[in-house]
């Protein structure tokens, strides 16, 4: 059951949260940093596997993940589910609804998750008072668009091993930016969910992870991944891209 928790004087606020250096715009003066505490008045706890919001729901707030992780997915008329992204602690969900004020995807907790609620009315008001906050939201939207473009490129132009290598590197880069280890992390999603996201079968994902491990690129135990050779993963992607470029030149 989803649980709502209103913040009180004893609660942890943005300016004292361990994730504050990620969520809060940098370079704020002390007064503006304190005012950001007005932005979050409530937190929500979502149990693993729970649908948090669905496509078609009206936009009322953005949500900063304080702990846990979520997946975003689309559903077509025949009921087919396509995962479009994974979101981790320190990242924001709800940006998909900013254009039309309606969510276009479903958000589901991959584990027990807690989010900070950023009401759009409060965000709009404080953004006028604190320009850096509006800039922060714009940057988040830009990052979301860039991530979507990368996914389209991956699905349209990369072979299966490239897709998985790029996925592992992307996770590494994101975790590093969030202040976590970029070389050793836990996959919060299943292999089947990775396959759905990358357009690969469960069997292909499992086979490629085993192959990467045998080649010394990674070490993997269940969902625990340790990247041993970043350059090797990058080379795997770049060599195929160079091969495609040479092929296009030969056919020109």
């Amino acid at each position: 059951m989803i649980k709502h928790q209103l913040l009180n004087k004893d609660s942890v606020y943005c300016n004292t949260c361990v994730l504050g250096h990620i969520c809060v715009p940098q370079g704020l003066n002390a007064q503006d940093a304190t005012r950001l505490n007005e932005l979050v008045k409530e937190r929500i706890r979502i149990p693993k596997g729970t649908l948090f919001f669905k496509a078609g729901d009206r936009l009322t707030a953005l949500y900063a993940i304080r702990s846990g992780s979520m997946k975003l997915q689309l559903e077509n008329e025949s009921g087919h589910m396509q995962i479009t992204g994974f979101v981790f602690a320190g990242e924001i969900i709800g940006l998909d609804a900013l254009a039309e004020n309606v969510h276009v995807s479903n958000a589901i907790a991959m584990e027990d998750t807690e989010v900070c609620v950023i009401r759009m009315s409060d965000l709009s008001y404080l953004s006028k008072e604190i320009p850096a906050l509006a800039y922060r939201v714009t940057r988040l939207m830009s990052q979301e668009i860039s991530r979507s473009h990368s996914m389209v490129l991956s699905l349209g132009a990369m072979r299966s091993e490239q897709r998985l290598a790029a996925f592992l590197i992307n996770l590494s880069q994101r975790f590093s930016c969030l202040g976590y280890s970029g070389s050793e992390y836990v996959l919060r999603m299943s292999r089947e969910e990775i396959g759905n996201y990358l357009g690969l079968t469960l069997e292909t994902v499992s086979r490629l992870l085993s192959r990467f491990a045998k080649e010394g690129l990674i070490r993997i135990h269940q969902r625990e991944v340790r990247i041993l050779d970043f350059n090797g993963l990058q080379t795997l992607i770049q060599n195929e891209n160079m091969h495609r470029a040479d092929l296009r030149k030969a056919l020109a």
Side-chain angles (χ1 to χ4, degrees), residues 8-229:
N8 56 42
K9 62 182 180 64
D10 297 320
S11 300
V12 175
Y13 284 87
C14 295
N15 62 345
T16 56
C17 177
V18 294
L19 294 176
H21 68 289
I22 301 170
C23 303
V24 175
Q26 300 299 304
L28 296 181
N29 58 44
Q31 181 179 358
D32 285 344
T34 301
R35 289 205 62 190
L36 279 184
N37 290 337
E38 303 172 29
L39 198 58
V40 177
K41 303 183 179 73
E42 177 187 9
R43 294 195 179 103
I44 302 176
R45 293 177 180 174
I46 310 115
K48 178 180 178 180
T50 300
L51 175 67
F52 181 46
F53 61 72
K54 65 181 184 299
D57 286 351
R58 297 291 300 177
L59 171 67
T60 59
L62 299 179
Y63 307 95
I65 297 184
R66 190 163 185 259
S67 63
S69 56
M70 305 193 79
K71 62 180 178 181
L72 303 176
Q73 64 183 30
L74 303 175
E75 181 179 1
N76 63 17
E77 295 178 355
S78 63
H80 174 72
M81 294 290 187
Q82 173 62 54
I83 296 174
T84 59
F86 303 104
V87 195
F88 307 103
E91 297 182 331
I92 306 290
I93 59 172
L95 296 168
D96 64 316
L98 287 178
E100 302 293 338
N101 291 322
V102 175
H103 291 288
V104 299
S105 59
N106 303 328
I108 301 170
M110 294 193 293
E111 57 189 318
D112 291 347
T113 299
E114 183 177 73
V115 300
C116 297
V117 182
I118 306 170
R119 296 290 173 189
M120 294 306 298
S121 54
D122 295 330
L123 180 61
S124 177
Y125 171 74
L126 278 179
S127 292
K128 296 176 183 177
E129 302 289 323
I130 308 174
L133 182 58
Y135 175 70
R136 175 64 174 156
V137 174
T138 302
R139 281 202 65 183
L140 289 170
M141 292 177 63
S142 176
Q143 290 170 357
E144 188 70 16
I145 293 171
S146 177
R147 191 174 301 161
S148 297
H149 286 176
S150 296
M151 180 185 177
V152 171
L153 176 63
S154 172
L155 295 180
M158 290 185 179
R159 292 171 43 168
S160 56
E161 59 266 34
Q162 286 184 287
R163 297 182 194 182
L164 187 57
F167 176 73
L168 294 174
I169 291 174
N170 176 263
L171 287 183
S172 173
Q173 293 170 339
R174 288 168 66 186
F175 287 140
S176 293
C177 290
L178 294 171
Y180 308 120
S181 171
S183 60
E184 194 166 358
Y185 51 79
V186 176
L187 294 171
R188 302 300 180 184
M189 67 294 294
S190 68
R191 284 162 172 70
E192 185 175 10
E193 288 170 328
I194 294 173
N196 181 284
Y197 177 66
L198 296 176
L200 304 174
T201 65
L202 167 62
E203 292 76 13
T204 299
V205 172
S206 297
R207 175 176 55 81
L208 287 174
L209 287 174
S210 297
R211 174 185 144 188
F212 288 175
K214 289 179 180 178
E215 293 176 352
L217 299 174
I218 64 172
R219 182 179 299 151
I220 185 164
H221 176 67
Q222 296 179 343
R223 294 195 180 191
E224 297 178 2
V225 174
R226 182 177 181 184
I227 297 182
L228 303 175
D229 188 354

